[in-house]
Amino acid sequence: MEFSRRNLMIGATIAPFAAPGFARAAAAPAAAPAAMFGPKPGIALLSRNENPYGPSPKALIAAEAATAKGAYYADDAQAVLIKMIADKYGVSPDQVVVGTGSGEVLNAIALAWKDKGAYLAPELFWDTTAQWGVKHGGTLKTVPLTAAMEVDLAGMAAALDPSIGLVHIVNPNNPTGLLLDGDTLRGFIKTAAPKATVLIDEAYNELVPDPRYSSMIDMVRAGHDVIITRTFSKIFGMAGMRIGYAITSSANAAKIRGFMMTWINSAGLGAAIASYEDDAFQNWSKGKIVEGREMITAAAKNAGLTLLTPSANFAFVKVPDANAVQKAMAARGVMIRGAYGKWSQWSRVSTGKLEDVERYCKALPEIVGA
């Protein structure tokens, strides 16, 4: 099953909807929108955990229709998406918060909880949310990873004291890609949630082997003080369209809404609504991602390297020097991440178009001297 998108010219797109009397510039020809977004020609973009196989065809059609009505705020469409999410997970609509990507929702959470105490998190995780809170007066406390690079839930439980207001876990973790066992995480929540709100960022949940088992949304339904965040940026391939959401208690949701800053864009909402129940596309897209991470896994092992078991759309590979590998890959037009602080031997590579993953796989043995 193959999917493709139309590459519309700006002038051709605008012309049918031009207002009466609108004078169009006649000097320079319109530019092609596709040239403004995504990687430049010849570049394999494997550094940002994007999914180039989305948005789905249904999402593209819906986004175009929504854009034609872009003069209007999208309140009704937002309510439709909220109800779809609530119905899917068995919660009430007032327990769902939709934002401009999960980034906005997560940043709102950081601000809403910063005066309740410090954020507690693993030493290595996607810390943009916590750092946003720190920038605005919050405090971050971290717990070292285990020797196996796993999130140390026991260590985090031991670190919980009255100074902690929010516990932040990403599952699967970014950048390690490791997935916490569902029931083990549930046990941690039962210990931690009576002491502090537990935030579980499930941005990659749809990509794990058993999404339902690994998700903690059931802990929200059970009444625990938990916030779950999700995004349309990964499995749905909508990173540039900025739609994300949280599921939590009604009281927590109201608190989060008090720190939200934007109105949701019509095109993103239209695409999200059209693709949310498009199981055929989601299964196809996940298949491409799984194929890509299996290619990376095989290439790393064939090059004599170790890597952490990937459960998302990226892999964490141990190399002699992550920054040197990043530089060597960039010279070949392959963009990956460099070192994460003191973890100078760990290199994160995202899945992407399979032909781009293949370029990484072919270059890896030569770059690491395998």
Side-chain angles (χ1 to χ4, degrees):
M1 180 154 100
E2 290 297 328
F3 296 93
S4 63
R5 68 185 71 187
R6 287 174 290 171
N7 184 7
L8 300 174
M9 298 295 287
I10 286 179
T13 304
I14 293 176
F17 306 106
F22 179 77
R24 285 178 289 163
M36 303 177 191
F37 306 100
K40 302 299 181 186
I43 297 297
L45 188 57
L46 306 177
S47 59
R48 297 167 62 173
N49 294 352
E50 296 158 325
N51 173 14
Y53 288 106
S56 77
K58 291 180 180 178
L60 294 174
I61 293 169
E64 184 177 350
T67 300
K69 295 293 184 74
Y72 305 102
Y73 294 115
D75 296 345
D76 290 345
Q78 184 171 345
V80 168
L81 181 59
I82 287 173
K83 187 175 187 308
M84 291 176 73
I85 295 168
D87 288 348
K88 180 174 182 177
Y89 292 109
V91 298
S92 64
D94 65 1
Q95 292 180 259
V96 179
V97 181
V98 171
T100 302
S102 60
E104 184 194 18
V105 180
L106 286 162
N107 286 350
I109 293 167
L111 295 180
W113 266 260
K114 73 179 178 66
D115 294 331
K116 293 182 174 295
Y119 316 121
L120 179 68
E123 188 177 15
L124 180 60
F125 76 117
W126 190 77
D127 65 353
T128 302
T129 298
Q131 293 302 336
W132 179 253
V134 169
K135 183 178 179 179
H136 293 274
T139 303
L140 173 62
K141 296 182 179 180
T142 60
V143 174
L145 300 178
T146 69
M149 300 286 284
E150 297 172 335
V151 173
D152 185 357
L153 291 179
M156 293 185 71
L160 271 171
D161 60 37
S163 73
I164 304 301
L166 182 74
V167 179
H168 187 181
I169 293 172
V170 182
N171 193 41
N173 194 25
N174 181 10
T176 66
L178 291 176
L179 177 66
L180 288 165
D181 174 72
D183 285 341
T184 302
L185 185 52
R186 287 181 180 89
F188 171 80
I189 288 172
K190 290 175 182 178
T191 298
K195 302 175 183 178
T197 301
V198 180
L199 167 61
I200 309 291
D201 181 354
E202 294 184 351
Y204 305 95
N205 174 263
E206 294 91 348
L207 305 177
V208 307
D210 188 346
R212 184 173 181 177
Y213 173 71
S214 295
S215 176
M216 296 296 110
I217 292 176
D218 62 305
M219 300 300 283
V220 174
R221 290 195 298 268
H224 296 284
D225 188 10
V226 180
I227 305 171
I228 306 301
T229 57
R230 294 279 187 89
T231 181
F232 281 83
S233 295
K234 309 307 176 184
I235 187 70
F236 297 98
M238 290 172 46
M241 303 180 83
R242 309 311 304 137
I243 302 291
Y245 60 95
I247 298 175
T248 185
S249 67
S250 299
N252 282 346
K255 191 179 305 179
I256 295 167
R257 288 190 198 97
F259 287 85
M260 300 288 283
M261 295 182 63
T262 62
W263 283 269
I264 312 300
N265 75 89
S266 299
L269 278 171
I273 291 167
S275 59
Y276 194 58
E277 296 177 349
D278 188 354
D279 293 338
F281 173 77
Q282 291 177 50
N283 291 335
W284 179 84
S285 182
K286 182 175 181 177
K288 290 291 187 182
I289 291 167
V290 171
E291 187 175 353
R293 74 190 187 203
E294 288 176 349
M295 291 168 62
I296 295 168
T297 298
K301 291 180 178 179
N302 289 339
L305 304 173
T306 60
L307 78 164
L308 302 182
T309 302
S311 295
N313 62 343
F314 56 89
F316 214 38
V317 183
K318 192 171 185 179
V319 296
D321 184 326
N323 287 336
V325 171
Q326 180 191 41
K327 183 177 180 180
M329 284 288 179
R332 293 161 171 80
V334 179
M335 303 296 123
I336 64 171
R337 288 297 300 263
Y340 284 80
K342 69 180 185 181
W343 292 273
S344 60
Q345 288 188 292
W346 289 95
S347 169
R348 196 194 75 181
V349 53
S350 307
T351 62
K353 292 183 178 179
L354 295 183
E355 57 268 30
D356 291 339
V357 175
E358 181 64 24
R359 287 174 60 185
Y360 167 86
C361 293
K362 288 182 177 179
L364 186 62
E366 177 185 346
I367 288 173
V368 299

